[in-house]
Amino acid sequence: MTHTKCTDPVVLEQWHPLISDRELADLGEFRTTLLERPLTIKHGARGIATVTADGPGASPKVLQQYGYVWASFGQDPNSLFPFPEFEEPDRRFVPTGVFGVNVSAGRAVENFLDMGHFPYVHTGILGEEPHTEVKEYDVEVSETRDEVVATRCRFYQPKAALASDEGADVEYTYRVPHPNCALLYKSSPADPSRRDVIYLFLQPMGEEWVRAHTGMCILDEDNTDESIRYFQQVIFGQDKPILENQHPKRLPLDPRAETPIRADKTAIAYRRWLSQKGLTYGVISVAA
Amino acid sequence: MTIDLSQWHPIASSSDLPLRHVYQAQLHGREFAVWRADDQYVNVWENRCLHRGVRLSVGLNDGKELKCLYHGWRYSNRSAGCTYIPAHPADAPARTICNRTYPGVEEKGLVWSAVDPAGDFELPEVLKGCDPLVLRPIPLNAAPGLALSRLADLKLEGGTSRQIASTGSYSHLAFDGLDLPELVLFVQPVDAHRCVLRGVLKAVPADPAGTLRQFNTALNRLRTLIEAAAAEAPAPEPIAVDFRPIDEELASMPEISRSGPKAELRVTVARKWETSEGVAAFRLEPLSGALPTFQPGAHIDVHLPNGMARQYSITNGPGEGGHYTIAVKREPDSRGGSECLHNAVQTGDVLAISAPRNNFPLRRDAVKVTLVAGGIGITPMLAMARALDAQGIAFELHYFAQSKAHLSFPELLNELGDSVVTHLGLNPAETSAKLNEILADYGFARHLYICGPGPMLEATRDVAAKQGWPDEAVHFEYFKNTQEIDDSSTFEVALARSAMTLQVPAGKTILEVLQENGIEAPSSCEQGACGTCLATVIEGEPDHQDVYLTPTEKAAGDKIITCVSRSKSNRLVLDI
């Protein structure tokens, strides 16, 4: 029997990210919290990580995949989602940092899926007034893979290419293959036929408190890891104060809690998908 | 302790609301965004944007509207209605997207509010007639009831305090042996375990700054005392707050529709004046309460004493929520509408009007906007120009009129400065040449809006098309449809969502048939000009007879104006 405060079976049966393999190798040992429960992670021989619970209760199961140490308190955790780009040998894998945010995982995922805030929150980088329109795009919940997918998403970006000052529409695809993880695919400046991947893996410390693990799997020979990290730190630093001023902090699943517009189709599908899963942790469920 | 939500409390000092600031206030566990508009109106709103719950206290107060920091949604002064959603610049937001508001009254240097007031604000008797000095507020980690019971413990050096009176919300104190005015000390209940002490001296003392320091020290000592007492008892749970759900219709995003021209509002003609040669302006104010939110380009149906209903554009600038101002040109060959407004309707009269409806929305995702107004066509253009000006978007307003005496609202035009260019007394050829000049430099993210008499409007559209302006960048509004309507055809209309098939006979419009069969179908001008009765065509070939749709939209064949247009095919399937 586990002693976590979280009793939501949907969340307990997931794998949750704790730390990147690289960071753990540097630190040797790391203490963190998962679902209100303190844990210690140790870097062992040949990079094998061990995770032990601080205090009473059983230690979680451990998985090392996609460059991260994942843990689960479940009896039989769901297998982790596919992320084939991670395995492609010519891509660079760059973890771009961990951010503590006082908000629920659901709010952070929605912000990641949202294009409408680019001109206001990421002014001059991912968007710029007056080019504020979110054009029609497609969303589906893939039955076979149990994930929310948004395609044909286009948004005006002021400096669409590195070597250009001209703005243009950039195309994005979003995947939400896990209640707390999302991936963004964006055309690669280096190879137009392939797409760069940016990921957001959320570690729920509590219902209203997360660690956000961010990073990229990209085709890029020009930029240093440091400049890529710096870019992502700027972007996330702009999102954090907005996320922490969302009220309520937990994600409301009732369609009448907030006002959806067509631009929010992905978020609407995501909320409905969470409702259908019966997830209750970090959300405000629809009143029965 | 039960909470009385009807009680008024001070929630801020007037000095907390400096120019263009948004102040975060709290009362009984609720958070408020409090902001003063440039017209001095104090708005007290629930502190969350209806879209994604971001606090509005981190938003931007531009003096007329409050803009949410997350997605740039704009909410109007007074009504708290949403006026613009940047993610969908071509659409007018449903006017029912409206923030929850609370009453706000500014008196004696304080802002007063109540969660659920039983009646209008009444200043506590103890403050009546005084010239007050408001002290610095002191927040406490203590239950409001506990704080109230200990207010008499306030001690000032060199004197003794004496409680004259005490109520459920304040204590009235005097200071014997000190040359100081009496103090009224309010407890603002912030939450179950938190409150703010708000002191008001009943007169301005000889040394205000020194007195403020003196009370600040004394109140901080009182704070330590009360918080120590509060720490001995277990802290109560914070007050649980429910957020009011949004309207059901908004949750699924369909447009709100109602049959026919509506007359849901009563207004009084507060002022009627001749704004230019042959043009009367009317300032319409609500009989009671507030007016619904309008957006630039919106019109209202005005129901006239002679039984007619006519459409007039609102000229107001952003945030001007206390009235609607319209203008009416005297038409010699009027069907009776302008005649009636010019002659019969006088200051003080009561009129029935509809809520504003916007079929001519202003896109603001533009690097520059060109507005072209002909004569009385200035009215929607004025509202647009004032919104663009307030938002800092580059624009030019070209106003074509017979003479200087024919320029309506000269005082408002002056405020817009060099962005307004007037073109006076031009003949059609000169007008056309001028339009060629104005429309010569089409570029990315530029938009053109036109309102004026039919021939001028058509000339402008022709010039724009020749100069390379794409259809989607050209927006226009006709006063009326002067085309001859051919209503001789007979066809069948199938309503996909209502699962009904109806016959439209010669001499009747689709709209009339819909309304006769109990289908909710909004309409306004009913002559193919305003666009209110627009429907989506799923199947069939529409016979367009309106002046609302652009040629591209007409050619696409997937939209129809049901009050005049008909069907070329035997059957038309509509998404109704």
Side-chain angles (χ1 to χ4, degrees):
Chain A
M1 190 192 138
T2 58
H3 288 81
T4 58
K5 289 187 181 170
C6 168
T7 56
D8 179 355
V10 181
V11 170
L12 288 174
E13 290 300 325
Q14 300 288 347
W15 289 108
H16 301 281
L18 298 178
I19 188 170
S20 70
D21 290 336
R22 281 185 205 169
E23 194 184 358
L24 184 62
D26 285 346
L27 297 175
E29 183 178 322
F30 184 69
R31 297 189 64 197
T32 187
T33 301
L34 177 64
L35 304 171
E36 293 148 79
R37 190 168 173 187
L39 300 173
T40 300
I41 310 147
K42 284 189 178 142
H43 177 73
R46 297 185 310 281
I48 305 291
T50 55
V51 182
T52 47
D54 297 353
S59 291
K61 295 186 170 63
V62 185
L63 175 73
Q64 279 174 282
Q65 205 171 339
Y66 308 144
Y68 281 82
V69 179
W70 304 73
S72 174
F73 293 110
Q75 299 299 318
D76 181 20
N78 304 342
S79 56
L80 202 54
F81 52 88
F83 181 6
E85 293 79 8
F86 181 83
E87 319 290 348
E88 291 175 7
D90 59 342
R91 283 181 187 263
R92 275 169 67 195
F93 169 62
V94 188
T96 51
V98 189
F99 305 85
V101 192
N102 274 295
V103 77
S104 61
R107 291 279 197 196
V109 167
E110 274 199 2
N111 177 67
F112 187 77
L113 303 176
D114 177 80
M115 291 182 284
H117 75 289
F118 289 170
Y120 297 96
V121 180
H122 309 298
T123 312
I125 305 172
L126 298 179
E128 191 167 59
E129 281 190 281
H131 311 289
T132 56
E133 183 168 22
V134 176
K135 297 165 192 81
E136 288 297 327
Y137 60 90
D138 300 321
V139 180
E140 60 163 4
V141 176
S142 161
E143 294 290 336
T144 48
R145 291 216 302 216
D146 187 31
E147 64 179 56
V148 179
V149 181
T151 50
R152 258 184 359 102
C153 306
R154 287 158 296 146
F155 203 83
Y156 178 94
Q157 189 168 306
K159 286 176 187 159
L162 286 172
S164 157
D165 281 340
E166 289 275 295
D169 274 359
V170 173
E171 189 159 338
Y172 303 82
T173 294
Y174 292 95
R175 279 178 64 199
V176 193
H178 176 299
N180 300 336
C181 297
L183 302 153
L184 180 166
Y185 294 73
K186 189 176 180 179
S187 49
S188 167
D191 179 355
S193 70
R194 295 170 70 190
R195 290 180 303 172
D196 287 337
V197 188
I198 300 170
Y199 63 82
L200 174 72
F201 300 156
L202 296 159
Q203 169 192 346
M205 318 252 296
E207 287 202 85
E208 302 184 350
W209 185 24
V210 295
R211 287 198 340 132
H213 302 268
T214 64
M216 306 187 185
C217 259
I218 52 172
L219 299 150
D220 183 337
E221 307 294 331
D222 304 325
N223 294 292
T224 61
D225 281 11
E226 193 182 7
S227 69
I228 293 168
R229 260 188 224 115
Y230 179 76
F231 175 82
Q232 202 58 30
Q233 303 254 344
V234 168
I235 297 294
F236 208 93
Q238 292 170 329
D239 283 320
K240 182 176 151 91
I242 293 285
L243 286 169
E244 295 187 335
N245 273 297
Q246 276 182 292
H247 192 46
K249 286 185 182 298
R250 286 182 293 150
L251 185 71
L253 298 185
D254 185 340
R256 286 184 61 191
E258 291 175 347
T259 314
I261 56 170
R262 289 200 311 285
D264 302 322
K265 281 198 297 199
T266 320
I268 296 167
Y270 172 62
R271 289 185 188 193
R272 198 174 295 149
W273 183 64
L274 295 182
S275 276
Q276 281 162 359
K277 287 187 174 302
L279 184 135
T280 58
Y281 191 78
V283 301
I284 302 170
S285 303
V286 183
Chain B
M1 184 183 154
T2 55
I3 300 166
D4 178 9
L5 294 179
S6 68
Q7 171 89 42
W8 289 77
H9 294 280
I11 57 162
S13 304
S14 289
S15 57
D16 288 328
L17 307 181
L19 186 71
R20 309 286 169 95
H21 181 62
V22 189
Y23 177 78
Q24 178 184 336
Q26 285 168 287
L27 189 61
H28 295 308
R30 280 97 177 146
E31 272 189 37
F32 300 154
V34 187
W35 63 285
R36 187 197 301 278
D38 286 359
D39 66 2
Q40 298 304 311
Y41 187 86
V42 174
N43 293 280
V44 181
W45 297 354
E46 183 175 79
N47 193 17
R48 55 193 284 272
C49 174
L50 289 175
H51 178 216
R52 280 294 172 262
V54 169
R55 284 194 175 88
L56 290 170
S57 54
V58 300
L60 235 61
N61 167 2
D62 74 4
K64 300 168 179 72
E65 294 177 320
L66 191 64
K67 177 176 144 187
C68 177
L69 215 55
Y70 198 5
H71 295 95
W73 286 29
R74 305 181 79 92
Y75 294 97
S76 178
N77 175 30
R78 291 172 187 261
S79 72
C82 179
T83 60
Y84 188 61
I85 297 176
H88 297 308
D91 303 333
R95 69 181 165 81
T96 40
I97 300 182
C98 197
N99 267 307
R100 184 168 188 179
T101 61
Y102 295 89
V105 174
E106 191 176 14
E107 217 168 318
K108 300 293 178 193
L110 291 169
V111 176
W112 307 77
S113 188
V115 172
D116 190 13
D120 286 344
F121 172 69
E122 202 163 327
L123 187 72
E125 201 63 42
V126 66
L127 288 183
K128 283 186 181 160
C130 75
D131 174 23
L133 179 72
V134 175
L135 303 183
R136 179 167 171 266
I138 305 291
L140 297 187
N141 278 315
L146 173 68
L148 266 167
S149 70
R150 301 294 295 271
L151 295 181
D153 293 341
L154 181 70
K155 296 279 181 294
L156 270 81
E157 299 283 342
T160 53
S161 59
R162 173 167 54 83
Q163 184 161 283
I164 301 168
S166 145
T167 74
S169 64
Y170 66 84
S171 173
H172 181 190
L173 301 165
F175 305 97
D176 298 330
L178 290 168
D179 183 21
L180 286 172
E182 290 171 7
L183 170 71
V184 185
L185 194 52
F186 290 89
V187 176
Q188 171 195 351
V190 164
D191 208 327
H193 191 58
R194 290 184 299 138
C195 59
V196 178
L197 302 184
R198 294 193 177 272
V200 180
L201 291 178
K202 289 188 67 178
V204 180
D207 171 20
T211 308
L212 285 175
R213 274 195 296 276
Q214 193 177 2
F215 274 99
N216 200 48
T217 308
L219 284 167
N220 271 309
R221 272 201 305 267
L222 180 65
R223 170 191 187 163
T224 311
L225 203 72
I226 296 174
E227 287 189 341
E232 285 170 16
E237 280 293 305
I239 298 171
V241 177
D242 287 333
F243 297 111
R244 190 156 61 187
I246 55 160
D247 289 352
E248 195 127 26
E249 311 90 81
L250 290 179
S252 51
M253 269 319 265
E255 286 300 311
I256 290 158
S257 61
R258 292 186 188 89
S259 288
K262 286 282 162 184
E264 61 259 52
L265 304 174
R266 297 286 176 280
V267 289
T268 169
V269 179
R271 188 179 161 219
K272 174 187 177 183
W273 74 102
E274 192 171 10
T275 179
S276 67
E277 189 81 36
V279 175
F282 297 83
R283 182 185 165 103
L284 309 175
E285 293 183 359
L287 290 187
S288 64
L291 290 170
T293 313
F294 67 92
Q295 298 133 18
H299 73 264
I300 50 173
D301 295 330
V302 178
H303 294 256
L304 299 171
N306 65 7
M308 293 176 154
R310 287 286 177 271
Q311 291 73 47
Y312 296 101
S313 295
I314 296 173
T315 61
N316 295 33
E320 279 186 356
H323 64 98
Y324 297 144
T325 294
I326 58 168
V328 181
K329 185 186 177 196
R330 185 194 291 276
E331 299 282 359
D333 52 354
S334 145
R335 289 182 294 160
S338 76
E339 197 60 34
C340 178
L341 274 159
H342 271 264
N343 298 338
V345 175
Q346 297 303 334
T347 302
D349 285 359
V350 172
L351 294 174
I353 64 169
S354 71
R357 198 181 280 119
N358 195 2
N359 303 319
F360 193 30
L362 173 65
R363 295 183 71 118
R364 306 183 205 183
D365 58 338
V367 292
K368 189 179 172 191
V369 179
T370 304
L371 307 171
V372 174
I376 191 63
I378 187 65
T379 51
M381 296 292 119
L382 201 51
M384 290 184 179
R386 297 172 76 191
L388 293 168
D389 186 51
Q391 222 176 306
I393 297 171
F395 74 98
E396 279 173 9
L397 168 56
H398 294 275
Y399 187 0
F400 291 79
Q402 277 179 49
S403 75
K404 201 169 175 212
H406 287 84
L407 295 173
S408 298
F409 301 104
E411 66 288 355
L412 297 177
L413 296 173
N414 280 338
E415 282 175 19
L416 297 170
D418 293 342
S419 302
V420 180
V421 186
T422 56
H423 308 283
L424 304 176
L426 303 189
N427 64 31
E430 290 167 332
T431 302
S432 182
K434 183 55 76 181
L435 288 167
N436 265 298
E437 226 173 88
I438 294 166
L439 301 177
D441 55 343
Y442 173 72
F444 172 65
R446 289 201 46 185
H447 286 272
L448 169 63
Y449 289 80
I450 322 162
C451 188
M456 186 203 156
L457 215 152
E458 259 129 48
T460 314
R461 286 173 60 191
D462 282 348
V463 171
K466 288 197 187 96
Q467 299 273 19
W469 289 71
D471 244 14
E472 61 271 18
V474 179
H475 315 267
F476 49 85
E477 185 174 69
Y478 281 85
F479 301 148
K480 56 187 174 206
N481 187 356
T482 50
Q483 295 184 23
E484 198 71 39
I485 306 291
D486 174 7
D487 62 357
S488 61
S489 58
T490 304
F491 55 97
E492 186 179 277
V493 172
L495 309 180
R497 271 186 287 146
S498 311
M500 275 175 102
T501 301
L502 304 170
Q503 297 299 325
V504 181
K508 269 202 177 155
T509 66
I510 299 176
L511 180 71
E512 284 166 350
V513 172
L514 293 178
Q515 292 178 348
E516 279 169 14
N517 285 279
I519 307 292
E520 290 275 291
S523 68
S524 178
C525 79
E526 300 189 345
Q527 51 160 311
C530 77
T532 304
C533 63
L534 181 81
T536 299
V537 178
I538 297 172
E539 207 182 293
E541 192 188 346
D543 173 16
H544 297 291
Q545 305 201 38
D546 63 278
V547 291
Y548 178 78
L549 297 175
T550 65
T552 311
E553 287 167 332
K554 284 181 180 169
D558 57 355
K559 295 268 186 298
I560 188 167
I561 299 296
T562 56
C563 68
V564 290
S565 297
R566 308 182 71 80
S567 181
K568 286 182 182 163
S569 49
N570 291 331
R571 182 180 155 89
L572 206 57
V573 183
L574 301 182
D575 187 21
I576 290 176

